[in-house]
């Protein structure tokens, strides 16, 4: 078998893998990125394609431009289930042509020395004495099987999780996904019959009836094209996402005529992997469960994970040591930038998924949580207790005591879990004890919600 050696092997060239490569490029390391898809399809995956501008600013990534940008976003209009209340949450963002932007990032990394092989799949990880040493890959262009030795291997395989799930289950990065901690999502891109009103506003429709445990979206891609779809919670026996799509499409997107793209995929909606690193290995993006648990957006956080991975990998390579402790900075960086917010939002997601439509209608109509509070929740992952107090005043006498109690419970657990993540262990040896505390807290939270 042919054999090659690299400092870093990145498996997967979607947003997370491409960003990892982009941040590693030009530093003098031998980096190989492979993707199963042909070049012109990398980055082409079912997605709503909406990403907040903040992510590009924070990570100093170039803005999408030209054909990479389909629509500038000014904010979101959030519709209550009965459609009687509409909230506007302002915030700049982009509706991307994701493959075009993704491929540009890859080309920039390539121009700075990253080697890229398309049509190439990692078939098995090389694990020696429990240490990741690279992977066996198959290149369909050259018909070659190649053993790639790498000091550090990055699993950026998206929801396929195709590298890390081949590791023995006792290795922490092999952690599996509970079906209920994922949304089954489906979307189509379609041409509309007439010009879309306010194409700069994304529309989100909450409805347990039409999208149980998830929501519908209508994201304009210019004046005459829209990305429309829905996500529903997995593992609950809700039935097929396609049936919901067909049944409710006319309600949320009455104006579409010609479908140009269709497809669906799974979206993890939980806290990140308990550890995103192992000896010789880093996990990024959907494979590491980096998606926002409430809105299901994962491209921005995939970029954050790529940024953190590149930082940790660079320092490990500089130090000449690639074990989990040398790569631990990945965990600390990601948790600080996004992971602790995800953990807190996972609790909020569990709360929202249990709310009946009438409570959501009521809460939005009465302003129990306001648009600005929603911003605070989505930006910082904190639900202010003052919100729950205010809700208490509004709810007293309105015969919804259970909603109040739950809102208070959620707010306090969200603060607690953030605190726990702020004390994420500095060494691997402390991880099992920390994980026990986390699981205990989640179990208590679930029990409190089910009361
Ligand atoms: C319907 C839907 C709507 C969504 N809407 C939004 C949205 O509006 N905004 C947002 O931010 N996020 C959204 N998301 C989530 C977002 O799409 C993902 O979080 C993000 O694209 C993940 O990027 P990634 O790089 O981790 O994975 P991916 O983009 O899935 O990339 C993984 C890559 O790895 C390659 N690969 C896999 N296995 C191997 C292997 N063994 N060898 C070689 N290559 C391999 C694949 O070919 C693929 O290119 C949505 C998701 C879905 C399903």
């Amino acid at each position: 078998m042919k054999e090659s050696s690299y400092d870093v092997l990145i498996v997967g060239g979607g947003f997370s893998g491409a960003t990892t490569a982009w941040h590693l490029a030009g530093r003098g390391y031998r980096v190989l990125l492979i993707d199963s898809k042909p070049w012109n399809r990398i980055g082409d995956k079912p997605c709503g394609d909406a990403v907040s501008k903040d992510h590009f600013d924070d990570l100093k990534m170039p803005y999408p431009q030209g054909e990479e940008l389909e629509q500038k976003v000014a904010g979101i209009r959030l519709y209550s289930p009965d459609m009687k209340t509409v909230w506007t949450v302002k915030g700049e963002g982009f509706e991307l042509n994701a493959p075009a932007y993704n491929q540009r990032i890859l080309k920039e990394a390539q121009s700075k020395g990253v080697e890229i092989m398309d049509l190439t799949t990692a078939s098995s990880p090389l694990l020696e004495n429990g240490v990741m040493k690279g992977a066996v890959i198959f290149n369909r262009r050259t018909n070659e099987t190649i053993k790639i030795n790498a000091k550090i291997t990055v699993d950026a395989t998206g929801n396929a999780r195709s590298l890390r799930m081949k590791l023995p289950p006792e290795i922490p990065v092999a952690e599996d996904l509970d079906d209920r901690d994922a949304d089954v999502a489906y979307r189509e891109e379609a041409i509309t019959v007439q010009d879309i009103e306010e194409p700069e506003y994304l529309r989100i429709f909450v409805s347990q009836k039409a999208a149980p445990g998830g929501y519908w979206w209508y994201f304009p891609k210019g004046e005459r094209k829209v990305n429309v779809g829905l996500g529903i919670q997995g593992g609950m026996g809700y039935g097929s996402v396609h049936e919901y799509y067909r049944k409710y499409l006319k309600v949320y997107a009455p104006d579409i005529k010609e479908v140009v793209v269709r497809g669906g995929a799974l979206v993890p909606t939980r806290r990140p992997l308990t550890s995103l690193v192992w000896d010789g290995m880093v996990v990024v993006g959907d494979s590491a469960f980096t998606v926002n648990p409430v809105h299901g957006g994962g491209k921005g956080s995939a970029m954050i994970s790529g940024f953190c991975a590149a930082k940790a990998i660079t320092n490990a390579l500089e130090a000449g040591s690639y074990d989990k402790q040398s790569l631990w900075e990945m965990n600390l960086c990601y948790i600080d930038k996004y992971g602790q917010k995800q953990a807190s939002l996972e609790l909020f997601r569990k709360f929202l998924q249990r709310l009946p439509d009438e409570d959501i209608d009521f809460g939005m109509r009465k302003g129990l949580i306001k648009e600005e509070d929603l911003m605070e929740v989505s930006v910082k992952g904190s639900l202010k207790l003052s919100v729950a107090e205010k809700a208490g005043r509004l709810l007293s006498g309105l015969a919804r005591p259970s909603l109040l109690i739950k809102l208070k419970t959620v707010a306090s657990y969200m603060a607690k879990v953030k605190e726990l993540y702020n004390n994420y262990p500095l060494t691997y040896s402390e991880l099992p004890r920390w994980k026990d505390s986390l699981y205990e807290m989640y179990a208590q939270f679930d029990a409190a919600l089910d009361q």
Side-chain angles (χ1 to χ4, degrees):
M1 194 193 310
K2 195 174 159 186
E3 205 168 320
S4 259
S5 294
Y6 289 86
D7 292 314
V8 185
L9 166 65
I10 303 171
V11 182
F15 260 60
S16 59
T19 320
T20 308
W22 192 86
H23 286 289
L24 274 175
R27 293 173 189 261
Y29 302 121
R30 282 203 74 197
V31 181
L32 170 67
L33 181 146
I34 63 166
D35 199 293
S36 304
K37 293 178 183 166
W39 249 108
N40 65 356
R41 285 213 40 237
I42 299 181
D44 179 4
K45 68 154 300 230
C47 189
D49 298 331
V51 187
S52 162
K53 178 171 166 285
D54 289 347
H55 292 300
F56 297 84
D57 292 334
D58 291 347
L59 302 170
K60 301 191 171 50
M61 300 281 299
Y63 292 149
Q65 57 191 27
E67 58 143 10
E68 299 152 11
L69 176 62
E70 298 198 273
Q71 176 65 52
K72 273 195 177 169
V73 174
I76 299 171
R77 302 249 196 255
L78 180 69
Y79 291 75
S80 63
D82 62 9
M83 302 266 216
K84 287 185 183 154
T85 313
V86 186
W87 285 356
T88 300
V89 182
K90 298 230 172 181
E92 285 181 85
F94 306 112
E95 182 58 28
L96 300 171
N97 173 338
Y101 183 77
N102 198 138
Q103 288 163 30
R104 172 215 178 159
I105 294 302
L106 284 176
K107 281 190 192 118
E108 288 185 8
Q110 191 182 40
S111 71
K112 290 185 182 167
V114 172
E115 283 179 51
I116 298 181
M117 283 185 199
D118 68 344
L119 286 172
T120 303
T121 299
S123 50
S124 50
L126 292 173
L127 200 67
E128 288 174 21
N129 300 320
V131 178
M132 189 70 144
K133 295 279 189 181
V136 174
I137 66 171
F138 180 70
N139 185 325
R140 299 207 298 287
R141 274 195 195 283
T142 58
N143 243 341
E144 281 175 317
T145 300
I146 314 169
K147 181 181 174 200
I148 302 291
N149 304 303
K151 292 171 183 161
I152 300 165
T153 304
V154 180
D155 182 331
T157 60
N159 187 56
R161 296 167 258 147
S162 57
L163 210 56
R164 71 175 185 82
M165 289 316 284
K166 288 186 178 141
L167 299 175
E170 61 274 13
I171 293 185
V173 290
E175 191 175 342
D176 209 350
L177 180 67
D178 184 320
D179 290 343
R180 289 164 302 176
D181 291 334
D183 267 16
V184 185
Y186 176 79
R187 66 89 177 87
E188 291 182 352
E189 287 181 21
I191 307 300
T192 56
V193 282
Q194 65 217 11
D195 282 359
I196 298 170
E197 244 177 74
E198 297 188 310
E200 68 281 16
Y201 278 94
L202 307 175
R203 299 178 207 171
I204 288 185
F205 305 94
V206 187
S207 163
Q208 300 286 25
K209 195 168 74 180
Y215 64 85
W216 272 81
W217 70 85
Y218 180 104
F219 293 173
K221 280 181 170 280
E223 282 177 353
R224 281 283 180 127
K225 195 170 138 197
V226 66
N227 179 312
V228 59
L230 80 158
I232 62 175
Q233 188 182 7
M236 303 292 286
Y238 288 138
S240 150
V241 72
H242 301 281
E243 276 169 29
Y244 285 95
Y245 187 82
R246 278 193 296 274
K247 189 162 172 195
Y248 292 100
L249 180 64
K250 282 277 170 242
V251 177
Y252 300 114
D255 56 344
I256 66 171
K257 57 170 188 188
E258 184 196 339
V259 175
V260 284
V261 178
R262 52 168 63 92
L266 209 68
V267 189
T269 53
R270 49 160 277 172
R271 62 200 176 279
L273 276 178
T274 310
S275 171
L276 297 98
V277 300
W278 184 246
D279 294 323
M281 183 177 190
V282 178
V283 189
V284 290
D286 278 18
S287 183
F289 306 142
T290 56
V291 177
N292 181 304
V294 169
H295 60 56
K299 283 195 150 50
S301 39
M303 286 158 64
I304 296 174
S305 68
F307 167 86
C308 289
K311 196 167 160 220
I313 290 169
T314 304
N315 288 334
L317 289 171
E318 288 297 304
S321 161
Y322 325 113
D323 61 9
K324 50 188 165 304
Q325 197 53 51
S326 309
L327 291 165
W328 205 250
E329 185 184 3
M330 168 69 188
N331 284 327
L332 302 178
C333 171
Y334 184 75
I335 283 169
D336 177 50
K337 283 188 172 295
Y338 208 75
Q340 37 98 7
K341 176 170 121 175
Q342 259 183 270
S344 140
L345 288 180
E346 181 183 4
L347 302 185
F348 196 50
R349 183 267 286 171
K350 286 173 180 237
F351 165 68
L352 292 176
Q353 284 175 326
R354 285 165 161 92
L355 276 186
D357 279 346
E358 306 77 65
D359 279 355
I360 304 174
D361 285 331
F362 175 83
M364 285 183 70
R365 196 169 62 244
K366 294 282 179 190
L368 295 192
I369 299 176
K370 291 231 176 268
E371 283 96 323
E372 56 270 26
D373 299 324
L374 204 66
M375 274 300 272
E376 173 105 359
V377 175
S378 71
V379 174
K380 296 190 187 149
S382 341
L383 180 61
K384 285 187 282 178
L385 270 170
S386 61
V387 175
E389 294 305 333
K390 185 174 63 188
R393 284 198 300 279
L394 271 164
L395 285 166
S396 55
L398 285 172
R400 271 188 162 79
S402 65
L403 182 56
L404 165 65
I405 293 163
K406 287 200 172 137
L407 204 55
K408 281 185 162 177
T409 306
V410 175
S412 85
Y413 273 93
M414 283 172 76
K416 275 196 234 172
V417 83
K418 277 187 87 171
E419 184 58 30
L420 191 63
Y421 268 84
N422 283 335
N423 290 306
Y424 186 82
L426 298 177
T427 60
Y428 175 70
S429 61
E430 300 163 60
L431 191 68
R433 210 155 41 137
W434 181 86
K435 192 177 164 188
D436 286 346
S437 318
L438 180 73
Y439 276 50
E440 202 182 309
M441 183 181 289
Y442 269 76
Q444 284 170 5
F445 175 77
D446 283 336
L449 272 196
D450 284 337
Q451 264 171 20

